[in-house]
Amino acid sequence: MVIKIAIIGGGSAYAPGLLHAFIRHAGDFAGAELALMDIAADNLDVVHRLGSSMVEAAQANLRLTATTNRRTAIADANYVLTSFRQGGFEARHQDESIPLKHGVIGQETIGPGGFFFAMRTLPVIKAIVTEMAELAPQAVLVNYTNPTQIVAEAVNHFANVPVISICDQSNSDLQNILAALDIKKPTEVKYESVGLNHATWSTRFQVNGQDGVDLMHDACGAVLARPDVSNRVKRQFRLTREFDRVPNSYLQYYYYREETLVEAQAAPHTRAQQIVAALPDYYTH
């Protein structure tokens, strides 16, 4: 059966990476339609043209479509993958900066900032699951929109649409930890964790047959002394030393509240401002 996957937020600068992943696994999605949908028509056009070239270059058996109409994208879909940012990065800047004025960390999934973001996101998710029930009643919602844990809870409690919530933070954390350990090309890495989005702990970590937690213990002193390793990663090593488990890097906001607050208040720009400054070059490229 040929499947249809609607990608809500398909004009995002992150979307080409998502399309690249589908292309890499094109054998598992043979003949699938990837229906890109976004309200930012110009950005959507760029991503659609780039994605189409990627599919053609890889000779992947995938069909890429694009629309600014959400109902059109959702109609008859087997999966609806949500990856959008309601309010854009301008709103994210407010999420991050307003709490800092009151001595509280500002972050897109943590504390007041995360709650601000959830209050903007949930009405859109509600509309999407309503449209899914009408236009694609057999479809599964695959949510990649933050704050993913709140979205998953809301859909589970107040809708009849099956939902899978995903987050790639553990993968990013793992790459940073391996870099801090100076392990550039491991032959085998096994990493598993449990918990909610941005609040997870490892249950298994092995690198080339060795216990990864032991490797972090042995390297902790050297890593903490290195100026090229970020404080965020160093805090993961500190927490691993204390708990014998690898924490999600976002747990720094809970265990090192004062440190992270001071850093955020001292930073010349919020993360949202940094991303906004970089986005034009992404689309130009």
Side-chain angles (χ1 to χ4, degrees), residues 16-264:
L18 185 63
L19 296 178
H20 176 64
F22 276 113
I23 291 169
R24 284 181 59 205
H25 298 277
D28 297 321
F29 298 95
E33 176 187 355
L34 305 179
L36 302 175
M37 180 271 154
D38 208 297
I39 60 174
D42 290 343
N43 292 348
L44 177 63
D45 178 62
V46 171
V47 173
H48 182 223
R49 287 188 288 114
L50 173 61
S52 297
S53 297
M54 292 164 61
V55 168
E56 182 180 355
Q59 296 183 325
N61 184 16
L62 298 170
R63 185 163 70 94
L64 205 60
T65 60
T67 180
T68 56
N69 187 306
R70 193 173 66 207
R71 291 177 62 87
T72 299
I74 290 175
D76 300 320
N78 302 93
Y79 297 91
V80 177
L81 195 160
T82 43
S83 180
F84 63 88
R85 180 175 296 280
Q86 186 68 12
F89 286 102
E90 295 80 4
R92 176 175 176 174
H93 169 65
Q94 299 296 328
D95 296 342
E96 294 173 327
S97 59
I98 290 174
L100 293 179
K101 298 176 183 178
H102 301 277
V104 182
I105 195 69
Q107 218 289 319
E108 69 168 333
T109 63
I110 303 296
F115 192 72
F116 297 162
F117 193 15
M119 291 302 97
R120 293 194 307 276
T121 302
L122 290 179
V124 183
I125 292 292
K126 180 181 179 181
I128 288 171
V129 296
T130 299
E131 290 169 356
M132 288 175 65
E134 175 192 353
L135 303 168
Q138 304 302 315
V140 175
L141 176 66
V142 182
N143 181 61
Y144 195 34
T145 294
N146 273 326
T148 63
Q149 72 276 30
I150 297 179
V151 170
E153 285 290 304
V155 175
N156 274 321
H157 283 291
F158 301 107
N160 292 320
V161 171
V163 57
I164 300 170
S165 238
I166 60 176
C167 175
D168 64 355
Q169 188 60 43
S170 291
N171 289 338
S172 176
D173 286 346
L174 180 59
Q175 295 305 314
N176 291 332
I177 289 169
L178 292 175
L181 291 170
D182 287 326
I183 301 174
K184 295 180 173 59
K185 293 183 178 180
T187 56
E188 183 182 46
V189 177
K190 296 179 180 179
Y191 185 80
E192 298 173 1
S193 59
V194 297
L196 291 173
N197 160 246
H198 292 176
T200 57
W201 290 90
S202 71
T203 56
R204 185 186 191 192
F205 182 27
Q206 290 183 313
V207 184
N208 298 335
Q210 294 180 280
D211 188 297
V213 170
D214 287 345
L215 293 175
M216 292 178 70
H217 284 325
D218 294 341
C220 188
V223 168
L224 295 182
R226 283 174 53 180
D228 62 319
V229 177
S230 70
N231 287 335
R232 185 186 187 102
V233 175
K234 288 178 180 179
R235 291 179 186 123
Q236 286 183 281
F237 275 77
R238 290 163 61 186
L239 285 173
T240 300
R241 182 176 58 187
E242 292 186 40
F243 293 101
D244 284 327
R245 293 288 185 272
V246 183
N248 189 298
S249 63
Y250 275 74
L251 286 172
Q252 68 169 346
Y253 298 116
Y254 296 97
Y255 286 90
Y256 301 105
R257 286 179 296 176
E258 292 76 13
E259 290 182 26
T260 54
L261 176 62
V262 170
E263 281 183 357

